Each structure stands twice: as structure tokens, then as C-alpha cells.
Amino acid sequence: MSTPRSWLASAQDSPFGVHNLPYGVFTADDQPGRRRIGVRIGDFVLDAGAAARAAGAPSVLLDADSLNPLMAAGRSVWTQVRADLTLWLTDEAYREALSPALLPVGEVELHLPFEVADYVDFYASEHHATNLGRIFRPGSDPLTPNWKHLPIGYHGRAGTVVVSGTPVVRPHGQRKAPADAVPSFGPTRRLDIEAEVGFVVGTPSRLGRPVVLDGFREHVFGVCLVNDWSARDIQAWEYVPLGPFLGKSFATSVSPWIVPLDALQHARVSPPERDVEPLAYLDDRGGEPWGLDLAMEVRLNGHLVSRPPFASMYWTAQQQLTHMTVNGASLRTGDLFASGTVSGPEPDTRGALIELTWNGEEPLKLPDGTTRTFLEGGDEVIITATAPGPDGTVVGFGEVTGRVEP
Amino acid sequence: MSTPRSWLASAQDSPFGVHNLPYGVFTADDQPGRRRIGVRIGDFVLDAGAAARAAGAPSVLLDADSLNPLMAAGRSVWTQVRADLTLWLTDEAYREALSPALLPVGEVELHLPFEVADYVDFYASEHHATNLGRIFRPGSDPLTPNWKHLPIGYHGRAGTVVVSGTPVVRPHGQRKAPADAVPSFGPTRRLDIEAEVGFVVGTPSRLGRPVVLDGFREHVFGVCLVNDWSARDIQAWEYVPLGPFLGKSFATSVSPWIVPLDALQHARVSPPERDVEPLAYLDDRGGEPWGLDLAMEVRLNGHLVSRPPFASMYWTAQQQLTHMTVNGASLRTGDLFASGTVSGPEPDTRGALIELTWNGEEPLKLPDGTTRTFLEGGDEVIITATAPGPDGTVVGFGEVTGRVEP
């Protein structure tokens, strides 16, 4: 079945065509302060609740102030809502009724699209983990012995997940260089980014009931971009033995548009060959592959500094979801789990400054004549991504951006 | 001012007298399924919303189905509500009106009293950290170099915080003994407890604005008991380099009664002498001390196996709160931060089986003739605590209990 065309001109050949239909939450001046669910289509945002009412469809899930009720409703509802939206935006018969529900994207303010329940950050790029192992633990094997047996992850701070555009305040904390006798306190000198991909849980699960690999599609609502801001000096001093804490918890930015999992069917690819046999619960060979061919780009002050290839990730989101629940831990609507920094094998595909500048030893030369090791006041980072859609279309993720307060 | 006496006989000489007044959430058969805020008094639970209405007081915060609205209202409201409750329960004039709002504690079901936002677990007992360092990292210094400079903590899973009494399903996961070439998958063989004290945040804070030591009283609503169930074999294999994850995330039990911070004024003690100078933001010398003299008891299948002394903790909850936010991370109503395992210097004051049995090498002999290294199916663990109250009274925390499913 070929993708239908929208009656909306700006949706043609757009990364936000009807093959995508990502969800967000917006406010606009026509109803100041009222958060509404929006669907991005071309250069517009469709007020989803207003559209449902105009189309005579049930609107309760689309009239919410966050995506959580829709996310909690489960896959059969997601499929129905997506089919409805596609019909409304492609059938000329709906054009007149729906047009008043379309707002130019430049005229809305976008908000955090869902209430984050638990936030888990994985560490699934072999290249990233190897690079960080070399930098943080020189002289040891760069990958810890467990790395290829399980997708390593940890819980991050859900309360400081913020929407793209939120300014980042440089965190203070304890830092101790190897040569220092004792730690000192002050602003981080090594403020970094981590370009990641986030997966958003819709359908909850029950305590004590692991979610098997085949449950991925039922539980995962959609995908967004994540910038997991990191203070490397704070992190290096604090993280042994219980893991990252304040070096990460000051801010994690997410893109405002949640791309439905169903929009990524054509982006699915086989993950890289694994050189260690996975335990049965993580063995995804023979099932549907959940590698995803997202082409990411990282820009610093407007300059392209990296093109991380998400398809290179060793562990997939499907394996991460299963691992995260194999001990019986339950899922809640709004759980966010991120991939960890996406770094490819080439130096210009690394998703963090600590790798791009090799721990600050090889500064980045930007085209404007400046150099960077880590982020300076006023710096702006933009992470974008696209993925293949049906019939040669491109699925856009929009961007996650943040500026360090001067 | 001496503590007034309640007109309720069972509140006399009770650890749940009017000097305590802990908050919880209950259901009872008179209104099936309706969650209500209750205040424990003697052998009864006061339906707080009904009491407020009977007393002609504002009831909106007390008529909620969780403590979150009351917790969010801030310290001045907490003080007023506590004064109201004290008046109602001590002045004979309220006896007749309030009596219908008293339910025998045996006739109510207690629930998770608040919606957990973020859950952070610290590692604040020097004795516990030293013991675990010796067990997990033999040959190294038992305390990592950062331990006495900052209160080490990490984020846990908020979605699997459960109320006391919730059965614990033995988690499955990857385990690898040092002698094994590769990990295997199966139920944990080393299921453990961690006896901890939890602090519940009421008043939120703003992103980018650290909470200084003096802010402790404004932000912390109350205190509960925590059992941070742990699968030691899963934890040992997974925790390097990003910290505990599935070894902890399957369940964390909390006691159903939140003891107001104001009930613990007489329990405040100076923390132990620190042998490393704290950085200024953590320096609590000269301010009010926030060590707390809680006497904890751990029972396994009814047998007392440990008496952890909370007053021995190296880092206080006040320091933990400040550290947790010093990077600008914000607080939300419902944030829970726990002390980490409470272990004293003596072997019979250790708060986890891994310490009590020295990694399983010295099994506990129970009075019923059985022995234990780690938990077996059907085992029940009960943690209780009391603290000094005013005028020779005792503040009861009730208990956090859980049974391992057979």
C-alpha cells in the first residue's frame, strides 16, 4: 500500500508528511496557557482535540494536556488514532472542517510532551563505551567484562528531563583532577553533551512480570531525541562505585515531537553482528530486528560537528526493554529509556565532546575560527535526526536544542 | 511546653500519641476502594478529611487520595494542619464530633502514602560502605577516595517503590561467580535486604537553584522506613561501571506511615565526628544538627537479627538533600531519598544480610534452629524503628515488612 498524499501542500515531500505524524504538546495565543496535544504535519501543528471534534470522532484522549492518557491506552488505540489522523489529513472531505485546527508551527510553543515516570539511560554504543573506557580507565580493558553480555544501564533523574529549548545552567559540583590532593567546588569545567535516542513507554506492565522481546511493540509508544548533558569532571569524581549522579542529573533535554513507533517500520535494520552469544532472553536473532537507521547530526553554534549513526548500536531498544524488566521491574506510562551516547566507528561520528576532542586533548576547530574542548557559556547545541520512511519519504525527528546560559 | 494528652485512651503512652501523628493513606470497608488520608493515633486511624469536616476546618488537602497535595503545600501549612490535629485530638470539645472519624487500625488497609517522583538511594553509613568495599573489592581500600568528601548516591526506580506488605517476587537475572567463564541466567541466589530510613520531599524547588543546608526543614515533609531489597549476585555482575540497576530495581518497600519531621525534634543528635573536612556547602557544623537517633530493629521470620543505630550515619539527610541539588537539580513533591543501609560498628547492628553473614560465609543461626545466608522462599522481614519524643515519649515508625514469595 503506498502512502496517501495529504491535502495540505506543506506536507508534500516533508519529513513531517502523513507517513510520520509525531505527537507533541503545545500552547498558542488563541487559548493562552492551555496545553493541547498537537500533531506535526508539514509546517503546521494540528490541534488534535479540535480535529477530533471537527471530525466527529471521540476526542477524550486527544483533549488531554499531556500525551500520557493516549500513551496509556495501548497499541490498538494508537493504531486507531493514527488511522483516523491519516484519513482526516488525506481525505479532501475533511479539509474544510480541519483547516481551523491547523496552526503554523512558528506560532506555537512546544512543551514537554509527556510526564516522565522513570528515566533510564543505557550505554549501548560499543564505540562510545570503548572510547570512554580508554579515557576514564586507561590501562584496563576499555569494555568491562559484562558489556557484551547485558545492556548496561542506570536510572537517571526523571524530574530534570526538560523540553528542547530549555536553557542549561552550568552545574556546580565537586571536581578533583588526578593531580589534586583534595576535591574543589565550583562550576564544571567540562560541560558536555550526549547525543542519544529515547524510547517512550505507553502501555504499563505488572510488577513481577518481565516483558519479553515480542512485547516491545505493545509497550513502546514512540521515539524522540535526547541530549543527556554531562559534567565530565563531576562525573569522574563521583561515579565509583554507584554510577553517575550529579554529573548527569542537572538536565536532560528531549525533542518535543514523539515519533510513533509505527512511523519507523521502514527504518528497521538488523543490528550489528554480535561477537558474544546473547543469553536466551536477549537473543533477538530470528525475531524482527529492532536496529533503527536514524541518521543523526550534532551542531555546535550552527556548525556540523558529528553525524552519529544510530544503526551502529550494539544493543537495541527492544533488548533494553526486555533487560530492564527481566527482574520483574514494572513499566509505567511515561517511562523514558535512552540509548546512551550514539557514537559510530569514525571520529566524526562520535556523539559526545569528550570523544570528539579525546578528553579535551584534541580541540575541535570550528569553521568560525574558534576552538572547543568542552562547552562554553552561550554555546548552543542542536541534535537532529531523520530516518527512512515508506516510498522514499524521510521521517523527521525535529531537533533537541539547548543553549548554555552565559 | 509539655505535650498535651489526648482524650483517646489508646493514645496514652503510645508510640503513636499526639506527639507523633504520622500520615498515611488507607481504604476501609465503609467506603470500599476510596483512598483517604489517615493519621495514626493510638490503635486508631483518624480519617483526616472527615475529621476536618467535623471540626469545621478546611479539608481540601486532607480529602485527597494521596499525601502529595498536602506535601506540596509547604511547611507553613504542615505546621497549621499539625496544630489542628493536635487540638482536635486533645481538646475534649472535639471528642464527640471526631469519634466517628476514628477507625481501628486493624480494620483499614494501608497503601503507598504518596506518589513517588524520583527515588534516590544514598550510601551514608561508613560501616556499611566499609563492609561492602571489603566484600566486593577485596585488596582495595574499602572506602573509595570520594566517600568522605561527598554523600555518594544514585537514582533508583521510583515505579517499583511499594508499600509495606507487598510480596516480593524473587528476581531473575544474570549472575556470574568469579569462577564462571560466562554469566548464567536464573533466579537470584543472594536475595538480601537493606534496612534504611527514607526522607520524603514536600516543597518542590526550581531547576538551577540549589537547596542550601538551611532549606532542609522547608523541603522535607517527613520520614519513613525503607527496605531496599537487593539481589547481590545480579548487582555484583552488573554494577561496574554505571552502578546498581536490576539488582535493586525489582522492589523497594516503604513503611505506610510518614512521620512528620516536626515529630522528630527530640530525636535530633550531632552526627559522628567527621575525620575529613567537609567542603563549605556540606559543612553542617554550627547549624542545627540533623543526625537522628532512630533505634531500628530487623526481624527475620520473627527473630531479631540486627539493631541498626541510625545515629551512627556519617552523612545526614540534610547534607544529602543539599548535595543532591547542588548541581541545580530540582526537587519535586514526592521525591524520596533514602539513607542507604544503616549499619553500626558492631556485627549485630548491620542492616543487610551480606554483612550479617559476611558474604554468606558465616550463616546466621536463628533461634528456630534454621540458618540463613540470604533469603529463602517464604521468608518474612520486618524492619521497625522508634525515636525519642518529647517528655519521655517514644515516636513510633511502625514497620516495613515483606515476604519473599515461596
Side-chain angles (χ1 to χ4, degrees), chain B residues 48-74:
Chain B
R53 286 190 301 277
S59 66
V60 58
L61 295 173
L62 298 178
D63 253 338
D65 59 3
S66 87
L67 295 178
N68 288 58
L70 173 63
M71 286 161 45

Side-chain angles (χ1 to χ4, degrees), chain B residues 55 227 234 288 307 353:
Chain B
N227 186 349
I234 296 172
E288 48 178 22
R307 295 180 183 272
L353 289 174

Side-chain angles (χ1 to χ4, degrees), chain A residues 118 146 149 153 155 157-159 171-172 174 185 237 239-240 242-243 245-246 249-250 279 281 323 327 330 332 335, chain B residues 118 146 149 153 155 157-159 172 174 183 237 240-243 245-246 249-250 279 281 323 326-327 330 332 335:
Chain A
D118 270 301
N146 52 9
H149 292 280
H155 286 92
R157 190 165 187 82
H172 285 57
Q174 294 194 25
F185 180 83
W237 171 234
Y239 90 105
V240 176
L242 298 188
F245 186 41
L246 300 186
S249 66
F250 57 96
L279 281 161
Y281 76 100
H323 184 64
N327 67 345
S330 47
R332 289 183 298 173
D335 282 349
Chain B
D118 271 301
N146 53 9
H149 293 280
H155 287 92
R157 192 164 186 83
H172 285 58
Q174 294 194 24
W237 171 234
V240 176
L242 299 188
F245 186 39
L246 300 186
S249 66
F250 57 96
L279 281 160
Y281 77 101
H323 184 64
V326 75
N327 67 345
S330 47
R332 289 184 297 171
D335 282 349

